[in-house]
Amino acid sequence: MLSCLQTPESLKHSYMAIFYHPFSSLTLKKLINPLKPTSTFTYINLHIRFQAMNSRSDSSSSKVMCQMVPGLDTNEKEYILDQTFERYTSKMVKRNGKGTAIVWFRNDLRVLDNEVLFKAWVDSESVLPVYCVDPRVFQASTRYFGFPKTGEDYHEKVLITVLSVPFLLLWPGLRGQFIVECLVDLKKNLMKRGLNLLIRHGKPEEIIPTLAKDFASHTVYAQKETCSEEVNVEKLVSKALRRVQLPHSTGRSTSQGSANSPTLQLVWGGTLYHLDDLPFSTNSIPDVYTQFRKSVEAKCSIRSCAKISMSLGPAPCVEDWGCVPSIEQLGLQPQEAGLMFHIYVSKGLRFLGGETAALSRVYEYFWKKASGNCLLLFALISDFLKVYKETRNGMMGPDYSTKFSPWLASGSLSPRFIYEEVKRYEKERLANDSTYWVLFELIWRDYFRFISVKYGNSIFHLGGPRNVERRWNQDQRLFDSWRNGCTGYPLIDANMKELSATGFMSNRGRQIVCSFLVRDMGIDWRMGAEWFETFLLDYDPCSNYGNWTYGAGVGNDPREDRYFSIPKQAQTYDPEGEYVAYWLPQLQKLPREKRNFPGKLYMEQIVPLKFGNPNGDRASAARKNNYGVRGRKTTKGYMS
């Protein structure tokens, strides 16, 4: 296991163990790359201790290995996909268009309840689905601090030292790998319905107009995005399309625009409530979530999922549809090649990308009976949805929460489909606070998306939507200790190691590590937000930056001083230290009550806490209780 210690005692023995481990022959070349003099790197002055991956432990925490999400086999997943598609297929929908329409897939990588695909199919004789492998998505850096957008590439490297020998630490392209899996699945599902997915490498504003001209496409359909980078690409595509001249026999009606150029038709999607159905204009969206939620719940209805024909063909004649790129072709590290992946022996959760996996996860969480290999708590219940509100703040295992967020972010899963499944569950089984709370979290997700429309780029600015002036620091040493899970606070370190290894972190964990970074360390919140942008499988700019501005007190939170006391959070959500011992195995031999508060048995704490003393000082405990309760009541729509 990877841990950061103040002294390198037992380093040599542990270090050699990994070289003699069965994994070493497979991974050494990819796992640890000797530093090349010409490489650019960031130096982390940390002592690293490698423990043998097969070391024995009396703790049950060490026996829990990687868990697939969803945890169904291939046949089960395909069966669920087919059954769900059948329920959402209509023989009544008819085509009334002519010519070829292009569907430009972006963050809507699904077939079921895809308004873009539905509209394009209805308004055409044939549909050309396209995905552009845009280098600005896979090979670009974050806005302010230059972190790779979808995981580590081969040019940004981190230097670590082991026995005074420099090595390069390569973080895997977790989200890039997830998106690749989504594309593979989308291509498969389109082919099952008589279409295919055209894969092209390059910028959409160059690819889409060329295709429109080649196929004489009258309209390009795409999902409307809200943040500036995506909106700018939309503008470039629209501008380039206006320069394309089409023949008159393209199926365009006079109402579709003047001149003989294809048009870009942007379709709202990705939210539970439709933008056009809100009871206020985007400029008047309430700045407090509760006001927004109560208003839309009282005055809005949720549109039904779009039902489409089982057969979407015929597909246009295409000589070369192209292949989905491998993660290596994107210039990223595959997850299994990442150092964290092998050091943690594939611990944690492994999410499978794609619509098939997404629909299977909904079935697994809502409908499938709990199995004997679940944690004891879940083995005593018949399903997970009915206790979601009680278990959602957990941190261990796949089933304490829905885990829908990665598929929602990639557009592999429709929030309206989740809504309809919740309502079906309520009709067939029961309705309670837990079934409502799933919808409550989806409304949070909607809220951040609508707020991004209202406030634009201010959600990325230091002062946030409210333009708050506050003094922040960008201390690299402190930030490195946070992102590498070496702060000296087990609850922070365990969460950050989980993020690095899996691309996922619980909703509760995200709030705790955010509070620690901005409140206890005083670090510029944008550094944390951009680090999350690099690693999160479920990254989308609206939810990520909405939550970070909220947590930093510069966003849509009526309380600017929200603080999560680490002692209080640990005692409430990891009282026996099971979670921290799972990710920090050096704590497994400690008594359970000591794991979150190990004192000198762990590493030195990088900063003192602003409120709350783990050693039980009475004055600090009073402050801890004042702030800790606030943190416990908070929840924000990650749908984690």
Side-chain angles (χ1 to χ4, degrees), residues 617-635:
D617 172 70
R618 289 188 178 183
S620 295
R623 293 194 298 270
K624 170 190 72 178
N625 289 333
N626 288 340
Y627 283 85
V629 172
R630 291 184 180 182
R632 189 173 65 225
K633 294 180 180 178
T634 305
T635 181

Side-chain angles (χ1 to χ4, degrees), residues 18 44 71 75 77 147 172 251 270 294 309 365 461 597 613 633:
I18 193 172
I44 301 179
N75 291 335
K77 293 197 287 282
F147 304 139
K294 290 181 177 179
S309 172
Y365 193 81
H461 296 166
F597 314 104
N613 183 350
K633 294 180 180 178

Side-chain angles (χ1 to χ4, degrees), residues 6-7 14 22 32 93 119 127 142 266 305 340 362 391 395 443 455 494-495 505 528 530 537 547 587 600 606 608:
Q6 284 190 293
T7 58
S14 300
I32 305 177
V93 60
K119 289 181 180 294
V127 171
T142 56
L266 297 171
C305 289
M340 297 297 286
V362 175
T391 64
M395 290 185 285
I443 299 172
Y455 284 107
N495 272 285
M505 187 189 294
E530 291 192 8
L537 296 178
N547 275 294
L587 301 178
K600 294 183 179 180
I606 193 74

Side-chain angles (χ1 to χ4, degrees), residues 522-631:
I523 295 290
D524 186 335
W525 65 268
R526 297 172 302 172
M527 297 179 77
E530 291 192 8
W531 190 247
F532 271 33
E533 180 175 349
T534 289
F535 275 94
L536 283 177
L537 296 178
D538 59 18
Y539 170 77
D540 81 75
C542 306
S543 294
N544 186 60
Y545 284 88
N547 275 294
W548 272 94
T549 57
Y550 189 101
V554 299
N556 298 84
D557 185 0
R559 294 194 295 267
E560 293 184 22
D561 60 350
R562 192 179 301 275
Y563 180 81
F564 286 76
S565 163
I566 292 176
K568 177 67 175 177
Q569 298 293 311
Q571 290 165 3
T572 303
Y573 299 110
D574 191 30
E576 295 192 354
E578 181 183 17
Y579 176 75
V580 297
Y582 180 79
W583 288 105
L584 306 169
Q586 63 268 45
L587 301 178
Q588 289 173 4
K589 294 182 179 180
L590 296 182
R592 294 178 183 272
E593 67 274 9
K594 286 281 189 181
R595 289 173 174 177
N596 269 292
F597 314 104
K600 294 183 179 180
L601 297 175
Y602 188 49
M603 70 186 72
E604 183 179 357
Q605 295 167 349
I606 193 74
V607 293
L609 295 180
K610 185 177 180 181
F611 297 100
N613 183 350
N615 297 320
D617 172 70
R618 289 188 178 183
S620 295
R623 293 194 298 270
K624 170 190 72 178
N625 289 333
N626 288 340
Y627 283 85
V629 172
R630 291 184 180 182

Side-chain angles (χ1 to χ4, degrees), residues 358-431:
L359 298 179
S360 297
R361 176 57 184 174
V362 175
Y363 168 81
E364 180 180 59
Y365 193 81
F366 284 9
W367 302 105
K368 188 173 183 179
K369 302 296 183 181
S371 58
N373 62 358
C374 297
L375 296 179
L376 179 61
L377 171 64
F378 296 123
L380 300 177
I381 64 177
S382 60
D383 50 46
F384 303 126
L385 176 55
K386 73 178 184 181
V387 293
Y388 169 73
K389 192 165 189 273
E390 288 71 46
T391 64
R392 65 192 169 86
N393 279 309
M395 290 185 285
M396 280 286 290
D399 297 320
Y400 60 80
S401 65
T402 67
K403 306 297 187 299
F404 295 160
S405 57
W407 296 290
L408 284 166
S410 66
S412 303
L413 182 62
S414 160
R416 298 192 305 199
F417 173 75
I418 298 174
Y419 171 81
E420 292 190 4
E421 286 295 279
V422 168
K423 291 303 174 182
R424 184 163 76 94
Y425 180 96
E426 290 179 337
K427 182 178 179 180
E428 296 181 14
R429 292 194 181 176
L430 82 160

Side-chain angles (χ1 to χ4, degrees), residues 4 6 42-46 473-488 493 516-517 520-521 523 527 603-608:
C4 307
Q6 284 190 293
T42 302
Y43 182 75
I44 301 179
N45 186 21
L46 300 172
N473 75 74
Q474 296 179 2
D475 187 303
Q476 192 65 44
R477 182 181 67 92
L478 293 183
F479 179 73
D480 284 345
S481 72
W482 177 83
R483 69 174 176 174
N484 292 308
C486 300
T487 66
D493 296 347
F516 180 78
L517 185 76
D520 294 308
M521 285 186 160
I523 295 290
M527 297 179 77
M603 70 186 72
E604 183 179 357
Q605 295 167 349
I606 193 74
V607 293

Side-chain angles (χ1 to χ4, degrees), residues 321-363:
W321 285 93
C323 297
V324 175
S326 68
I327 191 69
E328 292 90 349
Q329 288 173 324
L330 296 176
L332 303 172
Q333 286 281 355
Q335 183 174 6
E336 61 271 17
L339 179 61
M340 297 297 286
F341 183 85
H342 285 290
I343 286 180
Y344 285 108
V345 203
S346 310
K347 276 190 173 185
L349 305 178
R350 168 67 168 89
F351 288 82
L352 179 64
E355 181 176 22
T356 302
L359 298 179
S360 297
R361 176 57 184 174
V362 175
Y363 168 81

